[in-house]
Amino acid sequence: MGGWRNAVQEAAASKPLFLTIYTTIIVGIVATSFYVFSAIYSPSASTSTQSISTSWLSSPPLSQNGGSNFSNNISQPTDKASQPGSNQLKTIWEAPPSNSKMPPLESFKLTKELVGERAKDNVIIVTFGNFAFMDFILTWVKHLTDLDVSNLLVGAMDTKLLEALYWKGVPVFDMGSHMSTIDVGWGSPTFHKMGREKVLLINAILPFGYELLMCDTDMVWLKDPLPYLAQYPDADILTSSDQVVPTVVDDRLADWKQ
């Protein structure tokens, strides 16, 4: 206290300007201290602090990249059960009950209603294959669902693949191809038949009135492709080749001349 008294006396003996400065500082310190202590011991402030802490503790942990824990992404379905007239889709990866029976083959027929159940924003993503491509197909579906893309369907070229995908909870339909279940080999007559089946499948889906993204199974989606494709609403057809050397370095369409 002696130090403060001496400071005030010295200020009083000095010029009025310094007295004003000292007085302003002291008043400011007193007012700030009063505000801080009032906020700390206020009941509403205590409740607010507790609410924020509870909210943070109850939130799921985040990974280093800002997303939810990856193990949770694997174990939890990525979409919700559909309701009539809603834009929600039936859950993928939710297997049917083990004590249930396989539905009749006729129920897997490709119809406009079947596509409509899976379509979202009038867009459907489709791939196809036989049982030999099972691992490719599961990888294809897994990467899309990890990206929260669930408006997809898989065309089964043989009954063995259809049944396997059904019991894994993957949306599948019967192409009626009666294809062999083994790897037919690249460039073989059966391989070329698969290419023609793809054309027939596109031709069968387009009249339903949905935008179609047709994909081969030997590809992996690392990013949701639909926002990019939506940048070109005037395009009738967008296609990509197997060319591994990029012709552009940004998000423009490829240079078709190259």
Side-chain angles (χ1 to χ4, degrees):
M1 293 297 294
W4 280 99
R5 187 180 298 109
N6 292 336
V8 173
Q9 291 175 354
E10 292 177 2
S14 61
K15 296 181 181 180
L17 175 61
F18 290 100
L19 179 60
T20 303
I21 294 174
Y22 275 112
T23 303
T24 303
I25 293 174
I26 293 173
V27 172
I29 293 174
V30 173
T32 302
S33 301
F34 177 78
Y35 175 80
V36 171
F37 281 101
S38 298
I40 293 175
Y41 292 102
S42 171
S44 60
S46 176
T47 304
S48 175
T49 304
Q50 182 180 5
S51 174
I52 294 174
S53 300
T54 304
S55 174
W56 182 83
L57 290 173
S58 62
S59 300
L62 299 179
S63 62
Q64 294 182 353
N65 61 4
S68 299
N69 186 277
F70 183 70
S71 62
N72 291 338
N73 289 340
I74 294 178
S75 60
Q76 298 297 327
T78 60
D79 50 354
K80 301 178 181 179
S82 65
Q83 299 176 357
S86 72
N87 202 30
Q88 295 178 331
L89 306 177
K90 292 181 180 179
T91 303
I92 297 179
W93 300 119
E94 184 176 330
S98 57
N99 59 351
S100 61
K101 294 183 179 181
M102 181 75 186
L105 191 61
E106 292 75 17
S107 62
F108 293 95
K109 183 179 179 181
L110 179 63
T111 63
K112 183 177 181 179
E113 291 72 25
L114 177 64
V115 176
E117 290 177 359
R118 297 292 337 158
K120 182 179 180 181
D121 299 329
N122 206 52
V123 177
I124 188 69
I125 308 175
V126 177
T127 193
F128 69 101
N130 66 347
F131 185 77
F133 286 86
M134 177 78 167
D135 290 342
F136 285 88
I137 292 171
L138 293 178
T139 301
W140 183 86
V141 175
K142 179 66 170 59
H143 278 77
L144 282 176
T145 53
D146 281 353
L147 296 169
D148 287 331
V149 179
S150 302
N151 47 324
L152 59 89
L153 278 171
V154 177
M157 306 186 78
D158 60 73
T159 305
K160 188 176 181 180
L161 174 66
L162 187 145
E163 293 179 351
L165 293 179
Y166 170 79
W167 290 113
K168 288 183 177 294
V170 175
V172 60
F173 64 91
D174 180 24
M175 290 179 60
S177 304
H178 306 291
M179 180 71 67
S180 170
T181 61
I182 63 175
D183 188 352
V184 298
W186 188 91
S188 66
T190 307
F191 176 85
H192 290 299
K193 179 186 176 183
M194 293 180 68
R196 295 192 294 272
E197 291 281 345
K198 175 165 58 175
V199 177
L200 295 175
L201 180 56
I202 294 173
N203 193 50
I205 295 177
L206 287 180
F208 296 157
Y210 296 98
E211 300 287 346
L212 171 63
L213 174 55
M214 176 65 67
C215 315
D216 288 346
T217 59
D218 58 343
M219 61 172 298
V220 172
W221 289 110
L222 301 179
K223 188 176 180 180
D224 181 357
L226 299 181
Y228 175 79
L229 299 177
Q231 298 179 42
Y232 303 95
D234 296 331
D236 294 317
I237 298 175
L238 292 172
T239 184
S240 97
S241 69
D242 290 337
Q243 179 167 320
V244 296
V245 180
T247 61
V248 294
V249 295
D250 52 21
D251 283 343
R252 292 177 298 161
L253 295 177
D255 184 352
W256 63 271
K257 296 185 297 295
Q258 299 187 39

